[in-house]
Each structure stands twice: as structure tokens, then as C-alpha cells.
Amino acid sequence: MDNTLLQFIRHLRHHGLPVSTAETLDAMQVTAALGYSDPILLRDGLASCLAKTVDDNDTFALCFEQFFHLDHSQDASSSDSQAANTEQNLPSSEQANEGEGEVGDGDGDGNGDGQASGEGQGDSAMPGKGGGGGGQGSQTRAEVMRAAAEAGIENIQFRTQRGVFRRRILDVLGDKQRQIEIQALREAGNDERANWLEQIRDAQIAAVIDVINRQLLLNNDASSRAIRDDILQNSSLSAMESYHRERLPPLIRKLAKKLASRHRQRHRHARKGKLDLGKTLRRNIAYGGIPFHRFWKTTRKDKSEIFVLCDISGSVSAWSRVLLLFMQALSDVLPSTRCFVFCGRSIEVTDLFRQYPADEALAIVQQRHGLGSSDYGLALNTFRDQIADKLNRRSCVIILGDGRGNGGDTGIAALRDIYHRARLVLWFNPESQFSWNTGDSEIRRYQSAAHYVAECGSLRKLERLLDGLLSLLR
């Protein structure tokens, strides 16, 4: 059943649960030890090696129920009911075994050993003859799932493909041979046996349809999520409805997590520091694992300090929220980050993000400081005064705004002072470049006092800009 497990792991990855190759091998060992007979035991066993956090555990539980179609109402009594069915059907099975030789050619009357039909396709108990139907449904479903995996059911994407995959699975199950056998039995006048095989075939077809529909639902769910995320990443925030904007925070955290894993602090070899256990064990394999030679590593510290200034006036407040969410989600990679917001005066909000969750902190920031129009002159001057003593050649300043100061003071002198003190001054403008330098836009003047001015009109563009920044600061 490794194919089934691999499909399940693929389903987990579609839902954003990272599963490495080593964890996949661990899951295979767990499955080999536990089997598929007890779904609750299997779920707990797989969760122990695939779910690493509380959120991952919740996602894992949901995916397990969706994939294996777990019915909680039957979990507690499944083992007891199967044992009871076995005990009740034991005498009947023995009677069937006594009359097994009367039919011939391996066609038993329900001996329960999987040889009821000449094909051995799971026709284990003839209805009404003591075979016991308690385990027949689960056995048929297991056979169908194995056949579906062999037919490549994980590749189904569209509803129009259902007929194609149904035929593939039935071919793997030997449906054509079964139909020939049924026809031969009817011509020979053995209608009882033929009716029994018809019932088994109908049960298999019903299980095949169920497996196809469920896999189609799982794939469509993953595909639609990927399409939706791709659309949100490439769409301008100003063109999004409020419903879609509410779906941005999880996507932003997902993108930030990807950036963080790509730019996480690296270790380097050193004469002292933290023991590099992996390298130490590998280099001492020849000595039976005894660490005669030890290797050390230290973490390369990222000393760059980042200052973020965001315009939270009505025109670009939504994009400021996005950037602040990104910066908070990247706190593991960029621990030395200070956040400021402005409409008029620049106000530091770093402590708010330390005290409250990011979404709640953003709501507080918007409520307290988000009323008013942009005054870039006052904002840049007060921002320069607050960070002047901290600016050095390792500092990076990020400003997000459209550069429209409503005809007031531009604060260009303060920005130039910051430019000469800091290592980098980056200006992210959410407006399209076609709108720059039109109306009251002063972005051309700000370009002369910044190392780089870029459009960040979509999540994709903002992600690339932050990716480039992190690469530069490594």
C-alpha cells in the first residue's frame, strides 16, 4: 500500500504541510508496522512523524479524514464488530469448506479464502451462504484502492476524465473476465452463482465511482487553491474585493515562510561553538561511531538592522498592511527590524507587534494612527530624527508609499541625510510606473535620494523584492 501512502503524502503537501523524503520513509515504516486495519491507530502513528506543530497536526487530521474517508461513528466499534462477525460466521464458513469440492474449478460457496472466483479478486463470501458481509465491504474497498493507485488515480483533474479512469480501474480489477464468467454461468443455467458475481461486480463499481469522485474532489481542492493563490499573488491589491483581501494573511505567511526557509541563517565550521553532530558521526563511522574527531559550527550572525516606514493613509494603507505582515512573518530571518507608520508624524509600532498577534496589531495601528492624509515632509523629518543615532553602514531602510504629498513639503533633505548614512535605502511604490510623476507625485525627486525605487503592485513583485533584499543581506 506504499502507493496509497504516497498519494496521501502528496495530499498533505497540497495542503501546505511540508513532508521531507526522510519523513516519507519514516511514514512507510510506521505504516508497515501498524497496517491499515485500525484507522485511528494509523492516524496517530502517521501524525507522530508527519505533523511537527499544533497547526500541522490540525491540518494533518483534516487531510486524513478527507483522504481516508474516516467515519468517527464507526471507529470505536469497528474492531469489536469485525471480531463478532468472525465468530458468528465461523461455523458457516466451516460448512462451506465441507462442500467446497462439489463445485469444482476453485469455485467455492463462500469459503472466505479469496478463491470464490477463479480470478481471486476478492469474491470471498457468497451472500446468504454464511460468508459474512461484515468484512466484504472493507475488502472490496481495499482492492479498489489498490487498483486505483495502479491506474494512476492521483492524476485525475477534470470531471470529464471520470469515465476514462473508471475503465482503467475496472480493467485492473479484471472486470472483463468477470463479465465473461457471468455470461458463461448464465448460459450454463447457474443463475445463483451468476447473481452473486453480479452483486460483487456492482459493489466494486460503486466503490470505484466513490474513489474517483473523492479523488477528484481532493485534486480539485488542491488545484483550485493553487489557482486562487496564483491569482492573488499576481493581482493588484487595489483591484481586489474585500473578501479576497481577507484571504491574504495566510498566503502572506506562506510566502514569508518560504522566504525564511530559503534565507535562514547558515552555520559555518569553527574551532569552537556548537557540536556539528551530523558531520561528527559521518567522519567517525570508521571508528564505530566513537567521536575521535569532533567538528564544530557557529551561526553566522546577521548584523544588518532594518527600518521600515509605511504610509497608512487611505491610498496605500492596504499595501502597508501587507508589507508589515511580511516583515513580522520574517522575524526569524530579520530579527533586528523596527517598524514605523505615518500619516503625519512617524510613529514606531515595533512594540505593538511584540505584544499582539500581527492581525490584531495591524488593527490597533490603523485605529490609532490611520486617520488623515499623507504628509511626507513631516513623516521623513521625524523618522530621520528617531533613527539618526542608529543608522550606520549596516542599516537598511525600506519606505513604502506612493510619494504623493498633496503638494506639501517633500522632506527630500531628510531622505538624503538617511541615504548618506545607511547602507541601503529602498522605496517600494504600489502604484503602476505609468502613474509615477503624474499629478502631485514626487517620486522622481525621491528616486534621487534612494538606492532603488521599485513597483510593488502585487504580492509576487513584493515577494521578489524581499527575496532580493534577503539575498543581499546574507
Side-chain angles (χ1 to χ4, degrees):
M1 294 292 285
D2 285 348
N3 288 333
T4 301
L5 180 61
L6 293 176
Q7 290 180 40
F8 174 59
I9 291 176
R10 178 184 180 186
H11 182 55
L12 291 177
R13 289 169 175 164
H14 284 164
H15 282 75
L17 197 67
V19 181
S20 66
T21 303
E23 290 168 344
T24 301
L25 296 176
D26 292 340
M28 287 183 175
Q29 294 181 0
V30 169
T31 305
L34 300 179
Y36 288 86
S37 58
D38 189 340
I40 299 299
L41 184 61
L42 177 64
R43 181 190 64 190
D44 294 341
L46 290 177
S48 66
C49 60
L50 297 179
K52 296 172 281 294
T53 65
V54 176
D55 293 338
D56 287 351
N57 193 62
D58 294 338
T59 303
F60 176 87
L62 176 62
C63 291
F64 190 90
E65 291 184 8
Q66 290 177 343
F67 187 86
F68 290 102
H69 201 57
L70 188 60
D71 186 359
H72 291 288
S73 64
Q74 299 176 358
D75 292 339
S77 60
S78 59
S79 299
D80 296 338
S81 63
Q82 290 179 6
N85 287 334
T86 303
E87 293 176 359
Q88 293 174 3
N89 296 323
L90 182 59
S92 300
S93 299
E94 292 175 352
Q95 294 174 5
N97 289 333
E98 293 176 359
E100 184 176 2
E102 299 178 1
V103 178
D105 295 333
D107 296 337
D109 291 339
N111 56 4
D113 62 357
Q115 300 298 327
S117 69
E119 304 160 13
Q121 293 291 339
D123 308 338
S124 58
M126 193 168 181
K129 294 205 173 187
Q136 183 67 26
S138 59
Q139 182 179 354
T140 299
R141 184 174 183 82
E143 292 173 353
V144 169
M145 290 186 68
R146 283 194 293 268
E150 186 176 343
I153 188 63
E154 71 275 5
N155 297 318
I156 188 171
Q157 295 289 338
F158 308 105
R159 297 176 63 87
T160 53
Q161 295 177 299
R162 288 183 298 182
V164 175
F165 280 93
R166 174 183 169 181
R167 175 45 51 197
R168 289 181 184 176
I169 297 172
L170 290 176
D171 287 344
V172 175
L173 290 170
D175 184 66
K176 293 181 179 179
Q177 291 80 0
R178 190 185 300 277
Q179 292 185 63
I180 294 173
E181 183 180 359
I182 292 173
Q183 182 64 28
L185 288 171
R186 294 202 183 280
E187 292 176 355
N190 193 350
D191 291 338
E192 183 180 7
R193 172 75 174 175
N195 291 337
W196 173 53
L197 292 180
E198 282 280 7
Q199 291 179 22
I200 292 178
R201 181 173 182 268
D202 292 341
Q204 282 189 341
I205 291 176
V208 168
I209 293 174
D210 180 64
V211 169
I212 289 175
N213 288 337
R214 188 164 54 83
Q215 187 66 44
L216 184 61
L217 181 63
L218 295 177
N219 288 1
N220 280 346
D221 184 42
S223 299
S224 61
R225 185 185 299 106
I227 292 172
R228 183 180 65 243
D229 289 351
D230 186 68
I231 292 174
L232 289 178
Q233 290 181 57
N234 292 285
S235 299
S236 173
L237 193 64
S238 58
M240 293 183 188
E241 301 292 339
S242 58
Y243 167 77
H244 296 290
R245 292 184 185 182
E246 292 175 357
R247 306 179 71 92
L248 286 178
L251 177 58
I252 292 171
R253 295 187 186 96
K254 177 182 176 181
L255 297 176
K257 186 176 181 180
K258 182 177 70 173
L259 287 178
S261 63
R262 185 184 305 164
H263 298 282
R264 202 169 299 280
Q265 290 179 336
R266 301 292 190 265
H267 293 285
R268 62 182 178 184
H269 301 299
R271 294 177 179 268
K272 60 181 180 179
K274 184 179 179 181
L275 179 66
D276 190 342
L277 185 60
K279 186 173 182 180
T280 299
L281 292 176
R282 288 193 300 270
R283 294 297 178 89
N284 289 278
I285 291 177
Y287 309 108
I290 301 174
F292 287 108
H293 303 290
R294 288 163 293 178
F295 298 87
W296 309 91
K297 60 184 178 181
T298 59
T299 302
R300 184 175 61 187
K301 300 297 183 182
D302 188 354
K303 299 181 180 180
S304 297
E305 189 169 16
I306 298 185
F307 301 90
V308 180
L309 177 63
C310 294
D311 183 358
I312 57 172
S313 62
S315 57
V316 292
S317 60
W319 275 113
S320 295
R321 290 171 58 88
V322 170
L323 179 59
L324 290 173
L325 278 175
F326 255 117
M327 301 308 296
Q328 294 308 308
L330 291 171
S331 58
D332 291 341
V333 182
L334 302 173
S336 302
T337 302
R338 296 174 60 183
C339 298
F340 297 78
V341 297
F342 74 92
C343 282
R345 296 179 58 85
S346 295
I347 302 170
E348 185 170 4
V349 294
T350 307
D351 291 338
L352 280 177
F353 286 96
R354 294 173 181 169
Q355 298 173 11
Y356 301 97
D359 295 338
E360 187 175 349
L362 286 172
I364 295 174
V365 168
Q366 191 65 33
Q367 182 181 8
R368 292 180 181 178
H369 313 296
L371 300 177
S373 56
S374 303
D375 186 342
Y376 279 86
L378 180 60
L380 291 173
N381 280 288
T382 54
F383 179 60
R384 186 265 315 270
D385 295 340
Q386 292 179 75
I387 68 171
D389 58 334
K390 298 293 183 180
L391 286 176
N392 52 52
R393 301 312 299 174
R394 296 189 303 270
S395 302
C396 176
V397 178
I398 301 175
I399 302 175
L400 187 143
D402 56 6
R404 297 185 181 275
N406 301 307
D409 180 20
T410 61
I412 189 66
L415 184 61
R416 284 177 179 155
D417 187 21
I418 295 172
Y419 173 83
H420 291 299
R421 292 169 178 256
R423 175 187 177 184
L424 281 176
V425 176
L426 309 177
W427 192 296
F428 296 164
N429 191 339
E431 285 189 341
S432 170
Q433 292 191 22
F434 297 105
S435 301
W436 294 6
N437 305 312
T438 61
D440 59 348
S441 174
E442 299 287 351
I443 197 66
R444 180 178 298 171
R445 301 190 65 184
Y446 294 132
Q447 283 179 305
S448 65
H451 294 90
Y452 187 60
V453 178
E455 177 189 344
C456 61
S458 67
L459 281 180
R460 182 81 67 188
K461 293 179 180 179
L462 184 58
E463 179 194 7
R464 289 174 180 171
L465 290 172
L466 293 178
D467 187 18
L469 172 63
L470 291 172
S471 299
L472 188 61
L473 296 180
R474 288 174 63 177

